[in-house]
Amino acid sequence: MSVKKAIKILDWWINQKKYGMKKLQNEWNDSEDDYDIIRTLLSVDQITVTNLETIRSELISNCKHPMNMQDKDLAGHKYCMNCNLDL
């Protein structure tokens, strides 16, 4: 799996978590149930989102992709050998 694909997967996962959190919060704000479990679930999901965003930030490098570090794979796609990002 390339870094670009991993970043796309993480973006999708983060968006799904945030959407689920917003939906859960909206549905349970309308009900009169005990809110302790809601706060617990939302805080767990917020920690998960924070962790996923941290992983995503580690995958994105500050590499300038120098010409001597660029190569092509067997399919002809250019990538950086320094950071493994598709160009």
Side-chain angles (χ1 to χ4, degrees), residues 47-58:
I47 291 168
T48 303
V49 168
T50 303
N51 290 340
L52 290 172
E53 288 173 341
T54 302
I55 292 169
R56 184 186 186 284
S57 69
E58 288 295 321

Side-chain angles (χ1 to χ4, degrees), residues 61-70 80 82-83 85 87:
S61 67
N62 292 331
C63 182
K64 294 185 182 2
H65 317 300
M67 288 302 291
N68 64 338
M69 294 303 289
Q70 295 180 13
C80 179
N82 192 29
C83 65
L85 189 67
L87 303 176

